[in-house]
PDB file of all heavy atoms in Angstrom:
ATOM      1  N   ALA A1153      15.310  12.619  13.878  1.00  0.00           N
ATOM      2  CA  ALA A1153      15.709  11.780  12.750  1.00  0.00           C
ATOM      3  C   ALA A1153      15.053  10.404  12.835  1.00  0.00           C
ATOM      4  O   ALA A1153      14.639   9.841  11.815  1.00  0.00           O
ATOM      5  CB  ALA A1153      17.222  11.641  12.716  1.00  0.00           C
ATOM      6  N   HIS A1154      14.962   9.856  14.044  1.00  0.00           N
ATOM      7  CA  HIS A1154      14.366   8.531  14.195  1.00  0.00           C
ATOM      8  C   HIS A1154      12.859   8.558  13.922  1.00  0.00           C
ATOM      9  O   HIS A1154      12.327   7.667  13.250  1.00  0.00           O
ATOM     10  CB  HIS A1154      14.650   7.979  15.598  1.00  0.00           C
ATOM     11  CG  HIS A1154      16.034   7.427  15.751  1.00  0.00           C
ATOM     12  ND1 HIS A1154      17.164   8.220  15.778  1.00  0.00           N
ATOM     13  CD2 HIS A1154      16.475   6.141  15.872  1.00  0.00           C
ATOM     14  CE1 HIS A1154      18.232   7.456  15.913  1.00  0.00           C
ATOM     15  NE2 HIS A1154      17.842   6.193  15.978  1.00  0.00           N
ATOM     16  N   TYR A1155      12.183   9.568  14.449  1.00  0.00           N
ATOM     17  CA  TYR A1155      10.747   9.674  14.153  1.00  0.00           C
ATOM     18  C   TYR A1155      10.527   9.959  12.667  1.00  0.00           C
ATOM     19  O   TYR A1155       9.558   9.473  12.065  1.00  0.00           O
ATOM     20  CB  TYR A1155      10.104  10.766  15.009  1.00  0.00           C
ATOM     21  CG  TYR A1155       9.753  10.307  16.401  1.00  0.00           C
ATOM     22  CD1 TYR A1155      10.405  10.814  17.515  1.00  0.00           C
ATOM     23  CD2 TYR A1155       8.755   9.357  16.612  1.00  0.00           C
ATOM     24  CE1 TYR A1155      10.096  10.392  18.796  1.00  0.00           C
ATOM     25  CE2 TYR A1155       8.428   8.932  17.889  1.00  0.00           C
ATOM     26  CZ  TYR A1155       9.101   9.462  18.982  1.00  0.00           C
ATOM     27  OH  TYR A1155       8.786   9.036  20.245  1.00  0.00           O
ATOM     28  N   GLY A1156      11.421  10.742  12.069  1.00  0.00           N
ATOM     29  CA  GLY A1156      11.316  10.992  10.644  1.00  0.00           C
ATOM     30  C   GLY A1156      11.512   9.730   9.830  1.00  0.00           C
ATOM     31  O   GLY A1156      10.794   9.488   8.852  1.00  0.00           O
ATOM     32  N   ALA A1157      12.477   8.904  10.220  1.00  0.00           N
ATOM     33  CA  ALA A1157      12.702   7.635   9.530  1.00  0.00           C
ATOM     34  C   ALA A1157      11.490   6.723   9.675  1.00  0.00           C
ATOM     35  O   ALA A1157      11.106   6.026   8.728  1.00  0.00           O
ATOM     36  CB  ALA A1157      13.952   6.954  10.089  1.00  0.00           C
ATOM     37  N   LEU A1158      10.882   6.725  10.861  1.00  0.00           N
ATOM     38  CA  LEU A1158       9.686   5.908  11.087  1.00  0.00           C
ATOM     39  C   LEU A1158       8.559   6.334  10.156  1.00  0.00           C
ATOM     40  O   LEU A1158       7.895   5.499   9.526  1.00  0.00           O
ATOM     41  CB  LEU A1158       9.253   6.047  12.549  1.00  0.00           C
ATOM     42  CG  LEU A1158       8.113   5.146  13.018  1.00  0.00           C
ATOM     43  CD1 LEU A1158       8.583   3.703  13.150  1.00  0.00           C
ATOM     44  CD2 LEU A1158       7.569   5.631  14.366  1.00  0.00           C
ATOM     45  N   ALA A1159       8.332   7.652  10.054  1.00  0.00           N
ATOM     46  CA  ALA A1159       7.279   8.160   9.190  1.00  0.00           C
ATOM     47  C   ALA A1159       7.579   7.886   7.721  1.00  0.00           C
ATOM     48  O   ALA A1159       6.695   7.499   6.946  1.00  0.00           O
ATOM     49  CB  ALA A1159       7.095   9.666   9.420  1.00  0.00           C
ATOM     50  N   THR A1160       8.824   8.064   7.325  1.00  0.00           N
ATOM     51  CA  THR A1160       9.204   7.859   5.926  1.00  0.00           C
ATOM     52  C   THR A1160       9.061   6.396   5.524  1.00  0.00           C
ATOM     53  O   THR A1160       8.601   6.091   4.424  1.00  0.00           O
ATOM     54  CB  THR A1160      10.645   8.333   5.697  1.00  0.00           C
ATOM     55  OG1 THR A1160      10.738   9.724   6.023  1.00  0.00           O
ATOM     56  CG2 THR A1160      11.053   8.136   4.249  1.00  0.00           C
ATOM     57  N   ALA A1161       9.437   5.486   6.420  1.00  0.00           N
ATOM     58  CA  ALA A1161       9.281   4.058   6.117  1.00  0.00           C
ATOM     59  C   ALA A1161       7.812   3.711   5.905  1.00  0.00           C
ATOM     60  O   ALA A1161       7.466   2.936   5.003  1.00  0.00           O
ATOM     61  CB  ALA A1161       9.872   3.215   7.252  1.00  0.00           C
ATOM     62  N   GLY A1162       6.937   4.303   6.730  1.00  0.00           N
ATOM     63  CA  GLY A1162       5.510   4.073   6.544  1.00  0.00           C
ATOM     64  C   GLY A1162       5.019   4.617   5.222  1.00  0.00           C
ATOM     65  O   GLY A1162       4.217   3.974   4.525  1.00  0.00           O
ATOM     66  N   GLY A1163       5.514   5.801   4.839  1.00  0.00           N
ATOM     67  CA  GLY A1163       5.117   6.373   3.556  1.00  0.00           C
ATOM     68  C   GLY A1163       5.557   5.520   2.382  1.00  0.00           C
ATOM     69  O   GLY A1163       4.815   5.340   1.413  1.00  0.00           O
ATOM     70  N   ILE A1164       6.775   4.985   2.455  1.00  0.00           N
ATOM     71  CA  ILE A1164       7.264   4.107   1.388  1.00  0.00           C
ATOM     72  C   ILE A1164       6.412   2.839   1.307  1.00  0.00           C
ATOM     73  O   ILE A1164       6.074   2.360   0.210  1.00  0.00           O
ATOM     74  CB  ILE A1164       8.741   3.759   1.624  1.00  0.00           C
ATOM     75  CG1 ILE A1164       9.619   5.004   1.456  1.00  0.00           C
ATOM     76  CG2 ILE A1164       9.199   2.656   0.669  1.00  0.00           C
ATOM     77  CD1 ILE A1164      11.064   4.791   1.850  1.00  0.00           C
ATOM     78  N   ALA A1165       6.036   2.293   2.464  1.00  0.00           N
ATOM     79  CA  ALA A1165       5.211   1.080   2.479  1.00  0.00           C
ATOM     80  C   ALA A1165       3.856   1.332   1.830  1.00  0.00           C
ATOM     81  O   ALA A1165       3.351   0.493   1.070  1.00  0.00           O
ATOM     82  CB  ALA A1165       5.024   0.595   3.918  1.00  0.00           C
ATOM     83  N   VAL A1166       3.261   2.485   2.116  1.00  0.00           N
ATOM     84  CA  VAL A1166       1.968   2.819   1.515  1.00  0.00           C
ATOM     85  C   VAL A1166       2.108   2.997   0.007  1.00  0.00           C
ATOM     86  O   VAL A1166       1.294   2.494  -0.775  1.00  0.00           O
ATOM     87  CB  VAL A1166       1.379   4.088   2.155  1.00  0.00           C
ATOM     88  CG1 VAL A1166       0.109   4.522   1.421  1.00  0.00           C
ATOM     89  CG2 VAL A1166       1.068   3.839   3.622  1.00  0.00           C
ATOM     90  N   LEU A1167       3.140   3.716  -0.401  1.00  0.00           N
ATOM     91  CA  LEU A1167       3.351   3.964  -1.832  1.00  0.00           C
ATOM     92  C   LEU A1167       3.537   2.657  -2.590  1.00  0.00           C
ATOM     93  O   LEU A1167       2.871   2.411  -3.614  1.00  0.00           O
ATOM     94  CB  LEU A1167       4.567   4.868  -2.008  1.00  0.00           C
ATOM     95  CG  LEU A1167       4.947   5.245  -3.441  1.00  0.00           C
ATOM     96  CD1 LEU A1167       3.819   5.989  -4.126  1.00  0.00           C
ATOM     97  CD2 LEU A1167       6.226   6.085  -3.452  1.00  0.00           C
ATOM     98  N   ALA A1168       4.420   1.792  -2.097  1.00  0.00           N
ATOM     99  CA  ALA A1168       4.693   0.526  -2.784  1.00  0.00           C
ATOM    100  C   ALA A1168       3.518  -0.434  -2.663  1.00  0.00           C
ATOM    101  O   ALA A1168       3.107  -1.061  -3.650  1.00  0.00           O
ATOM    102  CB  ALA A1168       5.960  -0.115  -2.208  1.00  0.00           C
ATOM    103  N   GLY A1169       2.959  -0.550  -1.441  1.00  0.00           N
ATOM    104  CA  GLY A1169       1.870  -1.494  -1.222  1.00  0.00           C
ATOM    105  C   GLY A1169       0.622  -1.139  -2.003  1.00  0.00           C
ATOM    106  O   GLY A1169      -0.011  -2.009  -2.617  1.00  0.00           O
ATOM    107  N   ASN A1170       0.234   0.139  -1.995  1.00  0.00           N
ATOM    108  CA  ASN A1170      -0.955   0.544  -2.749  1.00  0.00           C
ATOM    109  C   ASN A1170      -0.778   0.325  -4.244  1.00  0.00           C
ATOM    110  O   ASN A1170      -1.711  -0.072  -4.949  1.00  0.00           O
ATOM    111  CB  ASN A1170      -1.271   2.014  -2.476  1.00  0.00           C
ATOM    112  CG  ASN A1170      -1.996   2.221  -1.161  1.00  0.00           C
ATOM    113  OD1 ASN A1170      -2.166   1.291  -0.383  1.00  0.00           O
ATOM    114  ND2 ASN A1170      -2.405   3.441  -0.911  1.00  0.00           N
ATOM    115  N   PHE A1171       0.429   0.599  -4.739  1.00  0.00           N
ATOM    116  CA  PHE A1171       0.669   0.411  -6.165  1.00  0.00           C
ATOM    117  C   PHE A1171       0.594  -1.068  -6.547  1.00  0.00           C
ATOM    118  O   PHE A1171       0.012  -1.431  -7.575  1.00  0.00           O
ATOM    119  CB  PHE A1171       2.033   0.982  -6.542  1.00  0.00           C
ATOM    120  CG  PHE A1171       2.391   0.782  -8.000  1.00  0.00           C
ATOM    121  CD1 PHE A1171       1.710   1.460  -8.989  1.00  0.00           C
ATOM    122  CD2 PHE A1171       3.402  -0.103  -8.359  1.00  0.00           C
ATOM    123  CE1 PHE A1171       2.035   1.274 -10.331  1.00  0.00           C
ATOM    124  CE2 PHE A1171       3.733  -0.303  -9.688  1.00  0.00           C
ATOM    125  CZ  PHE A1171       3.050   0.389 -10.681  1.00  0.00           C
ATOM    126  N   LEU A1172       1.171  -1.928  -5.711  1.00  0.00           N
ATOM    127  CA  LEU A1172       1.204  -3.355  -6.028  1.00  0.00           C
ATOM    128  C   LEU A1172      -0.140  -4.037  -5.804  1.00  0.00           C
ATOM    129  O   LEU A1172      -0.524  -4.936  -6.559  1.00  0.00           O
ATOM    130  CB  LEU A1172       2.283  -4.050  -5.193  1.00  0.00           C
ATOM    131  CG  LEU A1172       3.733  -3.635  -5.493  1.00  0.00           C
ATOM    132  CD1 LEU A1172       4.683  -4.273  -4.488  1.00  0.00           C
ATOM    133  CD2 LEU A1172       4.121  -4.020  -6.915  1.00  0.00           C
ATOM    134  N   LEU A1173      -0.865  -3.613  -4.756  1.00  0.00           N
ATOM    135  CA  LEU A1173      -2.112  -4.289  -4.395  1.00  0.00           C
ATOM    136  C   LEU A1173      -3.349  -3.597  -4.928  1.00  0.00           C
ATOM    137  O   LEU A1173      -4.437  -4.177  -4.914  1.00  0.00           O
ATOM    138  CB  LEU A1173      -2.208  -4.417  -2.877  1.00  0.00           C
ATOM    139  CG  LEU A1173      -1.116  -5.252  -2.202  1.00  0.00           C
ATOM    140  CD1 LEU A1173      -1.261  -5.192  -0.691  1.00  0.00           C
ATOM    141  CD2 LEU A1173      -1.179  -6.697  -2.682  1.00  0.00           C
ATOM    142  N   GLY A1174      -3.206  -2.341  -5.369  1.00  0.00           N
ATOM    143  CA  GLY A1174      -4.376  -1.611  -5.844  1.00  0.00           C
ATOM    144  C   GLY A1174      -5.076  -2.310  -6.991  1.00  0.00           C
ATOM    145  O   GLY A1174      -6.310  -2.405  -7.029  1.00  0.00           O
ATOM    146  N   SER A1175      -4.302  -2.823  -7.953  1.00  0.00           N
ATOM    147  CA  SER A1175      -4.908  -3.520  -9.086  1.00  0.00           C
ATOM    148  C   SER A1175      -5.588  -4.808  -8.646  1.00  0.00           C
ATOM    149  O   SER A1175      -6.581  -5.238  -9.247  1.00  0.00           O
ATOM    150  CB  SER A1175      -3.844  -3.819 -10.143  1.00  0.00           C
ATOM    151  OG  SER A1175      -2.803  -4.620  -9.606  1.00  0.00           O
ATOM    152  N   GLN A1176      -5.076  -5.450  -7.585  1.00  0.00           N
ATOM    153  CA  GLN A1176      -5.698  -6.665  -7.071  1.00  0.00           C
ATOM    154  C   GLN A1176      -7.091  -6.388  -6.506  1.00  0.00           C
ATOM    155  O   GLN A1176      -7.986  -7.238  -6.579  1.00  0.00           O
ATOM    156  CB  GLN A1176      -4.812  -7.295  -5.998  1.00  0.00           C
ATOM    157  CG  GLN A1176      -3.443  -7.729  -6.470  1.00  0.00           C
ATOM    158  CD  GLN A1176      -3.524  -8.838  -7.506  1.00  0.00           C
ATOM    159  OE1 GLN A1176      -4.264  -9.803  -7.340  1.00  0.00           O
ATOM    160  NE2 GLN A1176      -2.783  -8.674  -8.590  1.00  0.00           N
ATOM    161  N   LEU A1177      -7.271  -5.202  -5.960  1.00  0.00           N
ATOM    162  CA  LEU A1177      -8.566  -4.866  -5.360  1.00  0.00           C
ATOM    163  C   LEU A1177      -9.676  -4.742  -6.398  1.00  0.00           C
ATOM    164  O   LEU A1177     -10.858  -4.798  -6.045  1.00  0.00           O
ATOM    165  CB  LEU A1177      -8.454  -3.570  -4.559  1.00  0.00           C
ATOM    166  CG  LEU A1177      -7.755  -3.704  -3.204  1.00  0.00           C
ATOM    167  CD1 LEU A1177      -7.460  -2.336  -2.613  1.00  0.00           C
ATOM    168  CD2 LEU A1177      -8.613  -4.517  -2.236  1.00  0.00           C
ATOM    169  N   ASP A1178      -9.322  -4.579  -7.679  1.00  0.00           N
ATOM    170  CA  ASP A1178     -10.353  -4.574  -8.714  1.00  0.00           C
ATOM    171  C   ASP A1178     -11.130  -5.888  -8.710  1.00  0.00           C
ATOM    172  O   ASP A1178     -12.312  -5.915  -9.076  1.00  0.00           O
ATOM    173  CB  ASP A1178      -9.720  -4.355 -10.092  1.00  0.00           C
ATOM    174  CG  ASP A1178      -9.252  -2.917 -10.286  1.00  0.00           C
ATOM    175  OD1 ASP A1178      -9.761  -2.023  -9.585  1.00  0.00           O
ATOM    176  OD2 ASP A1178      -8.361  -2.695 -11.142  1.00  0.00           O
ATOM    177  N   ARG A1179     -10.482  -6.966  -8.284  1.00  0.00           N
ATOM    178  CA  ARG A1179     -11.135  -8.278  -8.238  1.00  0.00           C
ATOM    179  C   ARG A1179     -12.160  -8.357  -7.115  1.00  0.00           C
ATOM    180  O   ARG A1179     -13.018  -9.252  -7.116  1.00  0.00           O
ATOM    181  CB  ARG A1179     -10.091  -9.369  -8.053  1.00  0.00           C
ATOM    182  CG  ARG A1179      -9.013  -9.375  -9.128  1.00  0.00           C
ATOM    183  CD  ARG A1179      -7.772 -10.134  -8.697  1.00  0.00           C
ATOM    184  NE  ARG A1179      -8.022 -11.541  -8.441  1.00  0.00           N
ATOM    185  CZ  ARG A1179      -7.134 -12.372  -7.900  1.00  0.00           C
ATOM    186  NH1 ARG A1179      -5.933 -11.912  -7.535  1.00  0.00           N
ATOM    187  NH2 ARG A1179      -7.432 -13.633  -7.705  1.00  0.00           N
ATOM    188  N   ALA A1180     -12.056  -7.445  -6.142  1.00  0.00           N
ATOM    189  CA  ALA A1180     -12.936  -7.486  -4.977  1.00  0.00           C
ATOM    190  C   ALA A1180     -14.162  -6.596  -5.128  1.00  0.00           C
ATOM    191  O   ALA A1180     -14.929  -6.437  -4.187  1.00  0.00           O
ATOM    192  CB  ALA A1180     -12.161  -7.080  -3.723  1.00  0.00           C
ATOM    193  N   LEU A1181     -14.377  -6.037  -6.310  1.00  0.00           N
ATOM    194  CA  LEU A1181     -15.513  -5.136  -6.504  1.00  0.00           C
ATOM    195  C   LEU A1181     -16.837  -5.875  -6.615  1.00  0.00           C
ATOM    196  O   LEU A1181     -17.898  -5.299  -6.353  1.00  0.00           O
ATOM    197  CB  LEU A1181     -15.295  -4.288  -7.766  1.00  0.00           C
ATOM    198  CG  LEU A1181     -14.281  -3.143  -7.638  1.00  0.00           C
ATOM    199  CD1 LEU A1181     -13.930  -2.579  -9.005  1.00  0.00           C
ATOM    200  CD2 LEU A1181     -14.851  -2.048  -6.736  1.00  0.00           C
ATOM    201  N   THR A1182     -16.799  -7.150  -7.011  1.00  0.00           N
ATOM    202  CA  THR A1182     -18.015  -7.948  -7.136  1.00  0.00           C
ATOM    203  C   THR A1182     -17.857  -9.240  -6.338  1.00  0.00           C
ATOM    204  O   THR A1182     -16.750  -9.785  -6.241  1.00  0.00           O
ATOM    205  CB  THR A1182     -18.287  -8.304  -8.613  1.00  0.00           C
ATOM    206  OG1 THR A1182     -17.139  -8.953  -9.170  1.00  0.00           O
ATOM    207  CG2 THR A1182     -18.601  -7.049  -9.415  1.00  0.00           C
ATOM    208  N   PRO A1183     -18.948  -9.744  -5.746  1.00  0.00           N
ATOM    209  CA  PRO A1183     -18.861 -10.979  -4.941  1.00  0.00           C
ATOM    210  C   PRO A1183     -18.418 -12.164  -5.793  1.00  0.00           C
ATOM    211  O   PRO A1183     -19.038 -12.491  -6.802  1.00  0.00           O
ATOM    212  CB  PRO A1183     -20.298 -11.167  -4.437  1.00  0.00           C
ATOM    213  CG  PRO A1183     -20.936  -9.823  -4.543  1.00  0.00           C
ATOM    214  CD  PRO A1183     -20.302  -9.167  -5.731  1.00  0.00           C
ATOM    215  N   SER A1184     -17.328 -12.800  -5.395  1.00  0.00           N
ATOM    216  CA  SER A1184     -16.816 -13.971  -6.094  1.00  0.00           C
ATOM    217  C   SER A1184     -15.696 -14.564  -5.258  1.00  0.00           C
ATOM    218  O   SER A1184     -15.210 -13.945  -4.306  1.00  0.00           O
ATOM    219  CB  SER A1184     -16.287 -13.610  -7.486  1.00  0.00           C
ATOM    220  OG  SER A1184     -15.145 -12.781  -7.369  1.00  0.00           O
TER     221      SER A1184
END
């Protein structure tokens, strides 16, 4: 259960973080 919670927390972080920061990375496609 503890290892499962550890893995699940990481999955939630990736899901939320990628969704929130993915659009920001569009700004990094060109040097500026």
Side-chain angles (χ1 to χ4, degrees):
H1154 281 71
Y1155 278 113
L1158 187 73
T1160 300
I1164 292 172
V1166 174
L1167 180 60
N1170 280 7
F1171 178 69
L1172 294 173
L1173 298 175
S1175 59
Q1176 298 296 314
L1177 284 169
D1178 287 338
R1179 303 161 63 188
L1181 285 168
T1182 55
S1184 66

